[in-house]
Amino acid sequence: MTFAITFIAPSDPAEMMYFSRDVVPTKEMIEQAREEMGLNDPLLIQYGRWLTGIARGDLGYSYSLRTNVSEILPQKIEKTVYLACFSIVILFVVSFALGVIAAMCKNRVIDHIIKILSMLSISIPSFWLGLILMYYFVVQLQLFKITDSDHASSIVLPALTLAIPLIGRYTMQIRAEVLDELGCNYVLGARTRGIKEFRIIWSHVIPNTLINIITLFGMTIAFLLGGTAIVEVIFSWPGLGSMALDAINQRDYVLLQAYVLLMAFIYVGMNFIVDVITQLIDPRVNIFGGCKHNE
Amino acid sequence: MSKHLTVIITTALAASIVLISLIAPFIAPNDPYKTDFKSVLAEPNDEYPLGTDQVGRCILSRILYGANVSLSITFALLSLVFVSGVTIGIVSGMKGGIVDDILMRLADIVLAFPDIVLVIAIVGVMGSSVSNMIIGLSLVWWTKYARLTRVSVMKAKGNIYVSAARMAGASDLKLITHYILPNIATALIVQLVLDISGMLLAISSMSFLGLGVQPPTPEWGNMLNEGRSYFQTAPWLLTYPGLAIFITVAVFNLLGDGVREILSREQA
């Protein structure tokens, strides 16, 4: 699939390589370059070469950056993973806090406020949010630096931008789950035994809601990964997403291929991890297709 | 009752947004393409209610025309993926066997990639333009409806009335149009309404990244992208197009939620 991308591409890689070096190529030069890059071989042979390359960890040579793709990828991955992890932490902390508060104050003013806020957060386009945050915190208040991605505080805004559109969805889900659990008999039992409300929620209700939230997380990974591309472009964050966009502008399909392949790997891998975690938390779920035992 | 009220209000709001987008040419104060170099990056004033952009075009007019562009692409794309997805889903669910296998494996391949990433890749390779964006988005989105339809069809197929109709000699086509589709339509339509805002966001995100609607055609996403470089001096370049997306998406989100709640309650 990823390989197919280079073939639907309208322009010739060999030609583009010369253009990227500001040389207008002649017919012979292109022909020679095609020969060197193995582009004159039949499709299947090229595909086979590409597959074995991947198996050996070789993703090809990026002519816009003039290095091997596998050399620059690790640092880009690090940046993107760092950003994603940071926003996942924000996401879970904030939405659990809001969701539990909303559930405890069901139908009171604070519940309605949280409901409206999460509705708004779902609707906000992340690219606009990023720009607005940048305007207020960087231009007006000068709280954060965003030009320097190594600076510790520079991650706050991109991570927030990535997290906020998801926080609404999670908050509502957590609120619903917590309310479900609060209606269970064991909560009533705990209450009659005189256990404090906070303790009931912390040690009984939250662990029980976790499993559904993790399933929800599995479904939002795609959103998160796609979102990194947009957020990285806004904040000039030197991760995989902005690399891919640069690759598109440079017509560097090798690099773009690497990006798509990597994202697919991360995506499938994360989904698998989520499945495994789900099973670890709740042994009733069998990911290997066995029958599901209900209580 | 209050749920019905919310749906009525949001439907009215959504309808008025659509209406505004349709009559944009008549209510826009200025020509959205006309540049006015005497008032470049002007703050909101009498002539230009929401200010002007970097080449002196009226922001309000561009937003109004942009509504037309954004919404028509959204609805066109949604109908395209809805019809094709549902058709594929029905074929897959009714036929089963090898046809089902092939179609669903195709969907699996698409689903192995995070959706925006795949669209970015497809458009990036084929070149940035509206038609390529539409191709990219529809290649990814049909899977959603195909899978939903397939599951619903398979569920509906197991009902006794379907077997009864089949025994009475109904053809496949008749089974689908008379017995199965009416039963699964609710779920599909709810999904469709819920997806309006998502599609709108996807289109403006792509345009924002420079991979969708190309300037000078006004579209909310690419207006934001163009205004990005000036946001320190002229924040109104960003505020208003962003607000337009935000409000529209919020209205359609509320509409989707309301419709879902009412229809799911009626079914229960």
Side-chain angles (χ1 to χ4, degrees), chain A residues 124-131 161-162 165 223 227 230-231 234, chain B residues 201 205:
Chain A
I124 202 160
S126 61
F127 43 99
W128 187 52
L129 179 71
L131 292 168
T161 312
L162 201 52
F223 188 89
I230 294 166
V231 171
I234 301 173
Chain B
L201 269 184
S205 308

Side-chain angles (χ1 to χ4, degrees), chain A residues 1-2 5 9-10 119-120 122-125 127-128 131 134-135 225 230 233-234 245 248 253 256 259-260 263-264 267, chain B residues 109 111-114 117 120-121 124-125 201 204-205 208 224 228 231 235 238-239 242-243 245-246 249-250 253-254:
Chain A
M1 179 72 181
T2 319
I5 283 174
M119 201 65 220
L120 292 181
I122 294 172
S123 310
I124 202 160
F127 43 99
W128 187 52
L131 292 168
M134 201 143 79
Y135 182 69
L225 289 179
I230 294 166
V233 171
I234 301 173
L245 263 292
I248 290 174
Y253 299 126
L256 187 63
Y259 169 72
V260 175
M263 278 300 183
Y267 184 46
Chain B
I109 291 176
L111 288 170
F113 298 89
V117 172
I120 289 178
V125 166
L201 269 184
S204 15
S205 308
F208 176 78
L224 281 177
R228 199 146 63 104
F231 83 109
L238 298 180
T239 322
L243 264 183
I245 303 179
F246 183 37
V249 171
N253 266 338
L254 285 170

Side-chain angles (χ1 to χ4, degrees), chain A residues 91-223:
Chain A
L91 172 64
F92 273 82
V93 171
V94 176
S95 47
F96 256 105
L98 287 180
V100 170
I101 292 172
M104 287 175 73
C105 312
K106 191 191 173 195
N107 287 337
R108 277 193 259 157
V109 181
I110 198 159
D111 180 28
H112 290 300
I113 294 177
I114 291 177
K115 204 187 272 179
I116 293 170
L117 280 182
S118 31
M119 201 65 220
L120 292 181
S121 94
I122 294 172
S123 310
I124 202 160
S126 61
F127 43 99
W128 187 52
L129 179 71
L131 292 168
I132 297 291
L133 286 179
M134 201 143 79
Y135 182 69
Y136 279 106
F137 288 102
V138 181
V139 180
Q140 299 272 317
L141 301 172
Q142 312 204 318
L143 274 180
F144 302 105
K145 288 199 184 76
I146 49 158
T147 40
D148 174 16
S149 70
D150 293 324
H151 201 274
S153 70
S154 63
I155 194 172
V156 177
L157 288 184
L160 266 181
T161 312
L162 201 52
I164 285 178
L166 284 172
I167 284 177
R169 201 178 304 178
Y170 276 68
T171 305
M172 295 321 288
Q173 189 71 30
I174 290 169
R175 176 182 174 275
E177 298 287 341
V178 170
L179 281 179
D180 268 4
E181 290 293 328
L182 281 179
C184 286
N185 280 332
Y186 74 90
V187 173
L188 193 65
R191 276 190 190 140
T192 47
R193 275 182 279 132
I195 298 171
K196 286 205 179 65
E197 194 70 21
F198 175 77
R199 226 188 109 77
I200 298 179
I201 293 206
W202 183 253
S203 48
H204 298 288
V205 173
I206 289 188
N208 276 323
T209 56
L210 262 183
I211 175 137
N212 288 320
I213 300 307
I214 286 179
T215 318
L216 176 69
F217 177 64
M219 292 190 293
T220 42
I221 295 171
F223 188 89

Side-chain angles (χ1 to χ4, degrees), chain B residues 10-261:
Chain B
T10 46
T11 313
L13 284 175
S16 46
I17 291 175
V18 174
L19 187 70
I20 288 174
S21 77
L22 288 177
I23 59 170
F26 305 105
I27 53 172
N30 294 295
D31 181 351
Y33 297 103
K34 204 189 89 204
T35 54
D36 179 356
F37 286 103
K38 275 176 292 182
S39 47
V40 170
L41 293 178
E43 285 193 40
N45 55 36
D46 287 344
E47 198 191 349
Y48 303 107
L50 298 182
T52 58
D53 65 5
Q54 67 282 1
V55 287
R57 291 174 300 198
C58 172
I59 303 243
L60 178 61
S61 314
R62 287 180 68 75
I63 289 178
L64 291 171
Y65 274 84
N68 196 330
V69 175
S70 301
L71 288 176
S72 41
I73 298 179
T74 305
F75 288 122
L77 245 175
L78 267 184
S79 355
L80 179 69
V81 291
F82 185 74
V83 171
S84 53
V86 169
T87 315
I88 293 173
I90 287 176
V91 170
S92 196
M94 288 300 286
K95 289 272 177 225
I98 193 158
V99 181
D100 182 30
D101 276 350
I102 292 174
L103 289 173
M104 285 304 116
R105 286 304 81 74
L106 275 179
D108 282 347
I109 291 176
V110 173
L111 288 170
F113 298 89
D115 44 6
I116 301 185
V117 172
L118 191 55
V119 181
I120 289 178
I122 293 173
V123 178
V125 166
M126 292 175 39
S128 319
S129 72
V130 183
S131 47
N132 286 344
M133 174 182 73
I134 290 177
I135 295 174
L137 280 171
S138 41
L139 277 179
V140 173
W141 277 58
W142 68 269
T143 53
K144 235 179 161 175
Y145 296 104
R147 294 195 131 201
L148 181 66
T149 314
R150 173 173 172 272
V151 172
S152 318
V153 166
M154 288 174 118
K155 243 193 238 160
K157 230 168 56 168
N159 282 326
I160 298 175
Y161 60 80
V162 176
S163 322
R166 196 187 287 281
M167 276 193 282
S171 64
D172 266 5
L173 191 68
K174 187 152 176 136
L175 271 184
I176 292 166
T177 51
H178 282 63
Y179 298 93
I180 294 178
L181 258 189
N183 274 294
I184 62 172
T186 317
L188 294 176
I189 288 170
V190 168
Q191 189 60 43
L192 183 68
V193 178
L194 280 172
D195 281 343
I196 297 176
S197 53
M199 186 56 103
L200 188 73
L201 269 184
I203 291 170
S204 15
S205 308
M206 293 303 287
S207 304
F208 176 78
L209 292 174
L211 301 172
V213 179
Q214 300 296 313
T217 309
E219 200 274 347
W220 296 337
N222 77 30
M223 286 175 72
L224 281 177
N225 191 24
E226 284 185 293
R228 199 146 63 104
S229 350
Y230 305 92
F231 83 109
Q232 300 198 3
T233 46
W236 55 89
L237 285 187
L238 298 180
T239 322
Y240 300 116
L243 264 183
I245 303 179
F246 183 37
I247 293 171
T248 313
V249 171
V251 165
F252 281 109
N253 266 338
L254 285 170
L255 179 67
D257 268 9
V259 169
R260 178 176 55 185
E261 273 186 43

